Amino acid sequence: MKILEDEIAKRGKVLPGDVLKVGDFVNHKMEMPLLSQMADEVYNHFKDKGITTVLTVEASGIALAILVAERLGVSMSFAKKSKALNADGDVYSAECYSYTRQNTNLIILPKDYLLSSDKVLIVDDFLAVGNATNALRSIVSQAKAQLVGVAIAVEKGFQGGGDKIRKEGIDLLSLAVVDSMENGKLVFRKQ
């Protein structure tokens, strides 16, 4: 998605440890016109797939997931990174290592929120090695729901997570794929 690539090239910051910071326009402070165009792109790709729910993990992917779910006219749920005191009943859970936070969380989703009859679209802000996406895929599998596809705002292609997912035959739409960030210079994959 050219407009997203242009914004990343102009405003993104390459930090040590192969971290790409886009927090001031994608996932911490959000530029709503840009996010709206991103949601439109995801909607156009997946609109005819019969999706019944959108799934993400807290917190950075929630805004895009909400906009995509709104366009699809379906519900949106997010897996929490810890069990709250008000959580009751059975939950699906999966371990999820955070590349940027360098810690592991047990993400949880109440079983009532994802049914075996659901056709699920996973939406998230970033894909690097695939930890969050794979944890969400585990939750979809535990629910015996059908994974329809995965939509990602920014994929760090050089870390291989997206390529592994594609090799499994999963419909993965990444709006921008960064193939290299060497010496602070961003190189985007032709799509």
Side-chain angles (χ1 to χ4, degrees):
M1 183 176 181
K2 177 104 172 77
I3 189 170
L4 178 58
E5 290 175 359
D6 290 347
E7 286 299 308
I8 294 169
K10 183 169 62 173
R11 299 168 64 185
K13 294 177 181 71
V14 177
L15 303 177
D18 286 331
V19 173
L20 175 60
K21 184 177 179 182
V22 294
D24 63 331
F25 59 99
V26 170
N27 62 6
H28 197 101
K29 174 187 175 190
M30 291 151 233
E31 298 290 340
M32 293 314 294
L34 174 61
L35 213 58
S36 182
Q37 289 180 51
M38 292 164 60
D40 289 343
E41 190 85 8
V42 174
Y43 168 77
N44 287 329
H45 184 86
F46 289 104
K47 65 184 176 188
D48 297 324
K49 305 287 185 177
I51 293 163
T52 61
T53 193
V54 171
L55 179 64
T56 193
V57 64
E58 70 174 344
S60 298
I62 291 175
L64 181 58
I66 287 170
L67 292 176
V68 170
E70 181 271 331
R71 281 157 175 76
L72 291 168
V74 301
S75 65
M76 188 284 292
S77 298
F78 63 91
K80 289 192 174 192
K81 292 180 181 172
S82 62
K83 192 168 184 174
L85 292 176
N86 64 352
D88 60 347
D90 291 334
V91 297
Y92 300 115
S93 64
E95 284 194 354
C96 181
Y97 180 76
S98 171
Y99 182 83
T100 54
R101 296 183 190 275
Q102 301 284 299
N103 67 350
T104 300
N105 291 294
L106 183 68
I107 64 169
I108 62 164
L109 181 73
K111 287 187 176 181
D112 296 350
Y113 297 176
L114 189 60
L115 307 174
S116 62
S117 58
D118 278 320
K119 291 183 166 189
V120 182
L121 175 63
I122 292 173
V123 175
D124 209 357
D125 63 334
F126 263 92
L127 172 62
V129 296
N131 294 330
T133 302
N134 290 332
L136 290 169
R137 287 174 59 199
S138 173
I139 286 174
V140 172
S141 178
Q142 290 170 51
K144 296 182 176 38
Q146 178 185 348
L147 177 63
V148 173
V150 177
I152 301 293
V154 182
E155 176 185 337
K156 294 194 303 187
F158 61 91
Q159 290 186 290
D163 293 333
K164 288 177 188 171
I165 291 168
R166 287 181 191 92
K167 283 181 184 170
E168 293 180 45
I170 294 168
D171 187 358
L172 169 61
L173 172 66
S174 293
L175 300 178
V177 180
V178 178
D179 268 339
S180 165
M181 298 191 321
E182 292 180 25
N183 300 320
K185 181 175 173 12
L186 297 168
V187 176
F188 294 96
R189 182 178 296 175
K190 299 283 186 230
Q191 297 195 68

